[in-house]
Every structure is written in C-alpha cells, then in structure tokens.
Amino acid sequence: MSLFRSVRETRGKPSRLPTVKTLADFDFSFQPSLKREQIDSLHTLGFLERQENVIFLGPPGVGKTHLAISLAIATAQSGRRVYYGTLADLITSLEEAQTAGRLSHRLKTLTHPTLLLVDEIGYLPITPTGGMLFFQLMSRRYEHASTILTSNKGFEDWGEIFGDDVMASALIDRLAHHCHIVNIRGNSYRMRQHRELQRLLAQTEPASTTPTSRRGRRRKEVPTP
Ligand code: ADP
Ligand code: MG
C-alpha cells in the first residue's frame, strides 16, 4: 500500500495520519512570529472553496506539520477528501504507478481530492523524474484544488531540492499564485525542555565562576539546540 494515503474519518476520528494534532493543542505563546488570526482564519476552510494553497515555511520543530495536520483534520471532519504524506512518499507512489503503467490513473486519483497535504519538502533530495512527476501533479491541481505544503527550506533553495532551477521556479509560480504563506521564524518546540533546563541551570550557577569554585562540581552538559 502506498504511504501517500487518503485520510479516513472513522467514527468522528481521523485515521491514517501519523499523529493527531489540533489547533487547540497549539501553544501560540511559544511562537510569537505567528499571526493567530491567520491560522484561525485558515481553519474556517474558506481557502478550500477558493482552491488556494497554504505553504508553511520555517526551521525544524516550529510546528509546521502540527498546523498542517490540524488543517487536514478539520478538512476531513468537514466531510471532504484529504490525502496526506511526505513529498518522498508522494513521489514514491507516483514512480511506482509509472513503473506499473498506471501513472495516469494515479495522477487522476491525486488530482481530485479537495486537499493534498505534502509534508517535508527539502529533507530528502528528489530525483529529476520524481521532480517532474510532482510538477505534473501540482500543475493539474493548480486552480482546481488546494494543496498544503511544508518546507524547512525557503523558495530560493527549491532549485537545489528539485535539482532543476527552471522547473522549481515554474512550480513555485503555480503554487504561490493563490496561496497563504505562513512563515514561522521561531525556536524548535522539540527543544523547549532543553532551553528550560539551560535557563534553570543558569539560575543555579554560583556568582563566582573561578576555577576553584568549580572544583568538584561536575554537572551534565546540556546540548545546545
Ligand atoms: P515541524 O514540522 O515544523 O518540524 P512539528 O509540527 O512536527 O514541527 O512540531 C514538533 C513537535 O512539537 C510536535 O510534536 C508538535 O505537536 C509540537 N509543537 C510544535 N510547536 C508547538 C506549539 N507551538 N504548541 C504545541 N506543540 C507544538
Ligand atoms: Mg514537520
């Protein structure tokens, strides 16, 4: 079974997602660069009616997948069809279909859902064929149905990810034409405990830091995020 899959609603609960993340679980105070009104407004799902895309950009751990999944869940709960997977999963699924002589069928299947969530653009390199297949799918969905994408890389690096500057800029041109770009510039939520630990350790640090006062006091190093 392809890892790029449709999200099902089973007794009110979305299934086949890696984790369940909702807007209610999201701590906006941790990410002050985010405009709460923009995220709330996306959750009213008007962007789906207007066939607009949403692109979450930002470094690892800032909540891109969390917010993208929460939009996917809201969409599935509204009774609409949603597909989810990483870009690597999606490309594998298209390549497998091509090998099996079923590419046009697979492209059709993935063109029609109201929402496609393509997670993790930029973590793994893409083959030229993979890039072309993704481009074909995005061209078909352009002005037809919404796609949510997440990436840890800015648009200026997409040429490198896809190994083709011309194709990447044509792709960005289509994706960004009717699009909400959510740029998250903050700290990783995954590392927050380490930051908290560091802050607490700094508070307990004695005023004098001469070599004598440090003798005999060994504390565990906390990795810097
Ligand atoms: P990204 O996709 O940007 O790398 P994730 O969305 O996977 O990051 O977030 C990493 C983890 O931290 C997830 O478990 C997510 O639910 C959690 N998380 C991130 N940001 C927040 C936040 N502001 N409030 C609550 N949980 C968060
Ligand atoms: Mg992610």
Side-chain angles (χ1 to χ4, degrees):
M1 187 192 72
S2 163
L3 278 173
F4 198 86
R5 56 207 182 267
S6 71
V7 175
R8 298 264 165 75
E9 270 280 291
T10 319
R11 284 186 287 276
K13 282 201 178 144
S15 63
R16 306 174 81 187
L17 277 167
T19 62
V20 172
K21 301 282 178 187
T22 66
L23 186 59
D25 306 329
F26 196 82
D27 178 2
F28 281 89
S29 68
F30 188 80
Q31 224 46 271
S33 75
L34 264 183
K35 289 193 210 93
R36 184 169 192 152
E37 314 80 70
Q38 184 188 22
I39 306 300
D40 284 346
S41 144
L42 286 172
H43 280 78
T44 63
L45 305 181
F47 74 99
L48 299 171
E49 313 276 344
R50 298 185 295 270
Q51 294 88 39
E52 294 162 352
N53 299 324
V54 184
I55 306 185
F56 291 97
L57 298 174
V62 294
K64 302 182 297 295
T65 301
H66 185 130
L67 292 172
I69 286 185
S70 122
L71 284 171
I73 291 174
T75 305
Q77 283 174 340
S78 75
R80 295 167 168 105
R81 210 157 172 50
V82 180
Y83 270 68
Y84 166 85
T86 64
L87 176 63
D89 294 338
L90 171 57
I91 287 178
T92 303
S93 121
L94 292 171
E95 283 174 341
E96 281 172 1
Q98 189 174 41
T99 309
R102 294 177 53 79
L103 180 60
S104 78
H105 181 265
R106 187 69 180 149
L107 281 171
K108 222 180 250 170
T109 305
L110 294 176
T111 299
H112 295 305
T114 308
L115 179 64
L116 223 65
L117 166 45
V118 185
D119 204 4
E120 296 187 2
I121 294 178
Y123 283 114
L124 296 173
I126 304 303
T127 62
T129 318
M132 271 320 293
L133 291 171
F134 179 60
F135 180 75
Q136 271 185 55
L137 177 61
M138 290 300 112
S139 299
R140 286 180 181 224
R141 288 182 65 83
Y142 173 59
E143 296 190 328
H144 174 77
S146 300
T147 304
I148 299 180
L149 304 110
T150 81
S151 181
N152 63 325
K153 300 266 172 70
F155 290 138
E156 65 282 5
D157 294 327
W158 284 31
E160 203 180 314
I161 300 167
F162 289 98
D164 182 338
D165 284 338
V166 176
M167 196 268 280
S169 74
L171 175 69
I172 293 165
D173 194 53
R174 282 162 178 73
L175 290 175
H177 184 194
H178 307 288
C179 184
H180 303 263
I181 295 178
V182 183
N183 221 325
I184 316 181
R185 281 177 241 93
N187 295 320
S188 166
Y189 193 81
R190 291 192 187 98
M191 302 303 278
R192 74 196 183 289
Q193 276 120 342
H194 297 288
R195 283 177 188 279
E196 183 63 9
L197 250 176
Q198 279 175 331
R199 197 181 58 76
L200 289 171
L201 284 167
Q203 275 175 2
T204 53
E205 192 89 359
S208 163
T209 51
T210 57
T212 13
S213 73
R214 281 184 170 273
R215 198 180 299 137
R217 184 175 56 86
R218 283 186 156 234
R219 66 174 162 80
K220 249 185 158 173
E221 284 299 319
V222 178
T224 315

